[in-house]
């Protein structure tokens, strides 16, 4: 089997292996279904409750992507500011670290007080949890310009805007796209947290409802749905990263 | 009138208690000259390039360009370093055009004169033998080819002065000697003024009209040697007794400096 084919199959095989261990473990040790259902049993409610799961999953996806979109805009702006200006970096960085250290679970009740139950707290939590890695990556990409290149540029007497547009930003793009993959999965964490604490729709809400009536199978079906959406979005942004910044990946292409 | 005039220049990094990189450094360069600075590593050779380009102000003494004190980044200077700092997302041609896009003197008219600029860049690429690689990305070029492009970039806005900081140090011996010829061709065609910093004595003797040996830190010029070998110099020149004599003479001086 060729190296490329093995690499392509590896994630599927690893996932299958995990599922097999889980399935066999549950059967061998006769784990009660309301504690840990087998993966095959968890697939059943995906059919049974397909309507409800679809309805709530689409809602969660929208909430997540909306929060994520805010994070991209805001993160890019803040990243460029802190990466290009040492003053902005000094002024804003401690504050950003502070914000990032606050558990987002603790913020949801405040968001609910401000905006009521619904989509808004989910969007804001997804935004708050996912913008930090974008800021840090964009700032790093811009701030780590090689000193020699900086000298070459400075001796030409350019405007700061030109350096930023022609060198700083393109240079930061691989960092930016790498952070998008991480940030989009974090955004799911944010929206689902918000829905479990204070929601009236979405996968998180569905799972809380299911668990309060001991329908463990449905809870697991919800978890699988979130995981699948996370992987899907990650794959989308990984593909986008390859397309937009292929020049940064030349070392990873198979040789020969 | 001299183009570059440095008189008793001192350069100190990081405040009054910082490292003294240059002290009592005096040097005059005439237009069109090819001048090399050689010396042990860390002797402040590169610091002098920063003074000339206006990237670092002198701490004492005076540095003048066209009889005006050097204050801040100067017009008409091109720079190239040991690492080819080509931008990986641009093609060879786009990399060579970068100075015209961002420089104070050309950015306003860059779009309008695009064809003219490209012709200029292509003329340079032809001289260094990269014409057919104009649309290749830097990572598709070998190290030697990247350094060739890196030599074209600072020349595209036709600067008066080219500052080179060990431009060939990262290359293998064969490629390096090949690029000496390339640089000599560029210089013979265009007659800009060159200030070359290197620790390769054969490189300095091959390329320069005049060589200055620099002392250990703080850097000072301890010996000046004119190179009157006929041009164009070829690899055969490097085996002639006159060439070898100059290299030996400089080597003796540098080892004396290092032990002092």
């Amino acid at each position: 089997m060729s190296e490329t084919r093995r690499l392509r199959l590896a994630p599927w095989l690893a996932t299958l292996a995990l599922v097999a261990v889980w399935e066999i473990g549950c059967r061998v040790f006769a784990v009660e279904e309301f504690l840990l259902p087998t993966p095959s049993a968890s697939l059943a409610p995906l059919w049974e409750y397909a309507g409800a799961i679809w309805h709530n999953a689409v809602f969660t996806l929208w909430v997540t992507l909306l929060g994520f979109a805010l994070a991209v805009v805001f993160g890019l702006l803040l990243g460029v500011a802190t990466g290009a200006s040492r003053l902005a970096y000094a002024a804003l960085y401690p504050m950003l670290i502070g914000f990032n250290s606050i558990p987002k679970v603790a913020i949801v009740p405040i968001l609910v007080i401000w905006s009521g139950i619904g989509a808004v707290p989910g969007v804001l939590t997804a935004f708050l949890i996912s913008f930090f890695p974008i800021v840090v990556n964009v700032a790093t990409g811009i701030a780590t310009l090689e000193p020699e290149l900086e000298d070459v540029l400075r001796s030409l007497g350019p405007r700061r805007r030109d350096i930023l547009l022609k060198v700083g930003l393109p240079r930061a793009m691989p960092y930016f796209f790498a952070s998008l993959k991480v940030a989009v999965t974090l955004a799911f964490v944010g929206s689902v947290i918000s829905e479990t604490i204070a929601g009236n729709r979405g996968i998180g809400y569905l799972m809380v409802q299911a668990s309060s009536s001991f329908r463990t199978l449905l809870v697991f079906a919800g978890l699988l749905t979130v995981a699948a959406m996370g992987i899907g979005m990650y794959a989308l942004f990984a593909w986008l990263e390859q397309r937009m910044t292929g020049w940064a990946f030349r070392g990873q292409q198979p040789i020969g | 009138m001299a183009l570059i005039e440095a008189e008793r220049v001192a350069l100190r990094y990081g405040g009054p208690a910082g490292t003294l990189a240059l002290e009592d450094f005096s040097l005059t360069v005439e237009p069109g000259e090819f001048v090399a600075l050689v010396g042990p590593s860390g002797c402040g050779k590169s610091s002098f390039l920063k003074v000339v380009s206006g990237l670092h102000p002198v701490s004492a003494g005076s540095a003048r360009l066209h009889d005006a004190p050097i204050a801040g980044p100067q017009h008409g200077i091109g720079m190239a370093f040991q690492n080819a700092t080509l931008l990986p997302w641009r093609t060879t041609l786009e990399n060579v055009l970068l100075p015209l896009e961002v420089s104070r003197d050309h950015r306003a008219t860059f779009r309008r004169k695009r064809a003219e600029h490209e012709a200029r860049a292509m003329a340079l690429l032809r001289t260094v033998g990269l014409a057919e690689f104009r649309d290749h990305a830097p990572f598709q070029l070998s190290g030697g080819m990247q350094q060739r492009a890196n030599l074209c970039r600072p020349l595209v806005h036709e600067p008066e002065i080219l500052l080179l900081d060990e431009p060939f140090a990262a290359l293998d011996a064969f490629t390096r000697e090949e690029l000496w010829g390339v640089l000599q061709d560029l210089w013979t065609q265009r007659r800009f003024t060159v200030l070359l910093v290197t620790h390769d004595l054969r490189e300095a003797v091959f390329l320069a009209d005049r060589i200055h040996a620099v002392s250990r830190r703080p850097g000072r010029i301890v010996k000046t040697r004119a190179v009157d070998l006929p041009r164009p110099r070829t690899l055969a020149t490097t085996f002639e007794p006159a060439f070898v004599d100059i290299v030996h003479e400089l080597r003796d001086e540098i080892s004396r400096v290092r032990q002092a």
Side-chain angles (χ1 to χ4, degrees):
Chain A
M1 197 188 298
S2 76
E3 179 73 17
T4 351
R5 259 191 78 167
R6 253 186 297 184
L7 283 174
R8 205 166 282 242
L9 279 175
W12 301 101
L13 292 178
T15 311
L16 268 178
L18 175 71
V19 170
V21 168
W22 174 6
E23 181 86 38
I24 294 166
C26 284
R27 287 176 191 264
V28 169
F29 298 105
V31 182
E32 295 282 359
E33 192 163 78
F34 71 89
L35 289 176
L36 179 64
T38 61
S40 56
S42 311
L43 288 176
L46 284 179
W47 289 115
E48 197 179 331
Y49 299 98
I53 289 176
W54 174 254
H55 172 78
N56 286 299
V58 168
F59 180 78
T60 299
L61 188 64
W62 270 115
V63 166
T64 306
L65 289 183
L66 217 59
F68 176 69
L70 280 178
V72 170
V73 173
F74 201 67
L76 208 52
L77 288 177
L78 217 58
V80 169
T82 51
S85 146
R86 292 179 62 172
L87 184 69
Y89 180 90
L92 298 176
Y93 223 65
M95 204 153 68
L96 284 172
I97 302 279
F99 266 118
N100 194 49
S101 308
I102 298 172
K104 300 301 167 289
V105 189
I107 295 184
V108 178
I110 302 169
L111 296 177
V112 171
I113 294 173
W114 289 349
S115 57
I117 286 179
V120 181
V123 171
L124 289 178
T125 315
F127 159 66
L128 284 173
I129 206 168
S130 63
F131 89 91
F132 189 72
I134 301 177
V135 174
V136 173
N137 272 275
V138 172
T140 308
I142 290 178
T144 52
L145 195 66
E146 294 90 341
E148 287 91 1
L149 185 56
E150 206 179 329
D151 281 354
V152 167
L153 290 167
R154 272 178 60 204
S155 68
L156 296 165
R159 286 173 296 199
R160 283 183 69 157
R161 200 187 65 187
D162 281 334
I163 293 201
L164 194 63
L165 286 179
K166 296 197 184 284
V167 182
L169 271 179
R171 203 179 172 287
M173 280 305 108
Y175 296 82
F176 171 66
F177 282 104
S179 76
L180 289 190
K181 294 185 298 186
V182 180
V184 79
T185 55
L186 282 175
F188 275 109
V189 174
S191 58
V192 172
I193 281 180
S194 167
E195 287 163 3
T196 53
I197 297 173
N200 51 10
R201 264 174 95 183
I203 287 285
Y205 174 74
L206 180 80
M207 280 155 58
V208 170
Q209 293 297 304
S211 92
S212 63
S213 51
F214 277 99
R215 278 185 290 178
T216 316
L217 279 176
L218 187 53
V219 178
F220 273 84
L223 283 179
L224 290 179
T225 311
V226 176
M229 289 196 293
I231 292 173
M233 283 298 132
Y234 183 96
L236 177 68
F237 284 102
W239 173 80
L240 203 64
E241 181 186 23
Q242 282 278 0
R243 270 199 67 104
M244 304 297 287
T245 58
W247 53 266
F249 287 94
R250 75 251 181 197
Q252 289 167 30
Q253 275 149 17
I255 295 159
Chain B
M1 188 185 64
L3 179 60
I4 305 168
E5 256 185 307
E7 219 175 316
R8 312 203 61 179
V9 163
L11 180 68
R12 197 187 281 278
Y13 289 113
T19 326
L20 197 57
L22 295 172
E23 193 178 35
D24 217 1
F25 192 102
S26 301
L27 176 69
T28 309
V29 180
E30 303 293 331
E33 264 193 308
F34 198 128
V35 175
L37 297 176
V38 296
S41 68
C43 71
K45 307 180 293 264
S46 309
S47 301
F48 184 66
L49 297 191
K50 291 212 173 200
V51 168
V52 175
S53 58
L55 292 175
H56 205 292
V58 297
S59 312
S62 89
R64 304 169 78 80
L65 186 69
H66 282 303
D67 215 26
I70 297 174
Q74 297 295 306
H75 287 246
I77 288 190
M79 284 201 283
F81 293 87
Q82 173 176 343
N83 302 314
T85 48
L86 301 174
L87 305 177
W89 58 88
R90 285 174 165 242
T91 64
T92 308
L93 179 66
E94 287 169 347
N95 263 295
V96 174
L97 287 172
L98 179 75
L100 295 171
E101 275 177 61
V102 301
S103 90
R104 206 168 12 209
D105 305 332
H106 297 94
R107 64 188 167 222
T109 56
F110 180 75
R111 271 165 211 274
R112 222 172 333 120
K113 297 192 180 165
R114 174 100 194 185
E116 181 188 321
H117 290 325
E118 275 193 19
R120 235 199 258 181
M122 282 310 296
L124 280 165
L125 287 175
R126 258 192 298 280
T127 310
V128 302
L130 281 182
E132 56 196 294
F133 295 95
R134 51 172 282 172
D135 295 324
H136 282 57
F139 59 84
Q140 294 172 306
L141 305 180
S142 70
M145 288 155 94
Q146 288 185 24
Q147 201 52 265
R148 286 162 194 251
N150 203 36
L151 276 181
C152 292
R153 188 172 59 185
L155 291 175
V156 74
H157 60 299
E158 291 173 357
E160 234 180 333
I161 304 174
L162 179 63
L163 305 178
L164 298 171
D165 195 346
E166 306 199 356
F168 311 128
L171 302 173
D172 64 273
F174 296 111
T175 314
R176 195 182 311 151
E177 288 170 355
E178 202 180 305
L179 286 192
W180 294 351
V182 170
L183 177 56
Q184 183 178 245
D185 289 349
L186 284 169
W187 179 75
T188 322
Q189 269 178 25
R190 292 156 188 262
R191 287 291 163 167
F192 40 84
T193 309
V194 186
L195 209 49
L196 167 76
V197 160
T198 180
H199 55 234
D200 184 339
L201 298 176
R202 294 176 60 242
E203 181 172 302
V205 178
F206 186 99
L207 288 165
D209 296 323
R210 192 148 51 84
I211 299 171
H212 298 278
V214 181
S215 71
R216 275 203 306 191
R217 189 162 26 209
R220 210 161 30 77
I221 289 176
V222 287
K223 182 183 178 65
T224 299
R225 176 67 159 97
V227 183
D228 40 17
L229 302 171
R231 291 186 190 268
R233 298 169 193 162
T234 62
L235 276 187
T237 316
T238 65
F239 299 105
E240 284 169 15
F243 185 95
V244 179
D245 284 349
I246 303 177
V247 172
H248 277 299
E249 194 185 321
L250 286 165
R251 178 147 294 149
D252 289 345
E253 186 61 39
I254 303 257
S255 31
R256 210 175 5 254
V257 166
R258 290 186 58 190
Q259 279 150 20

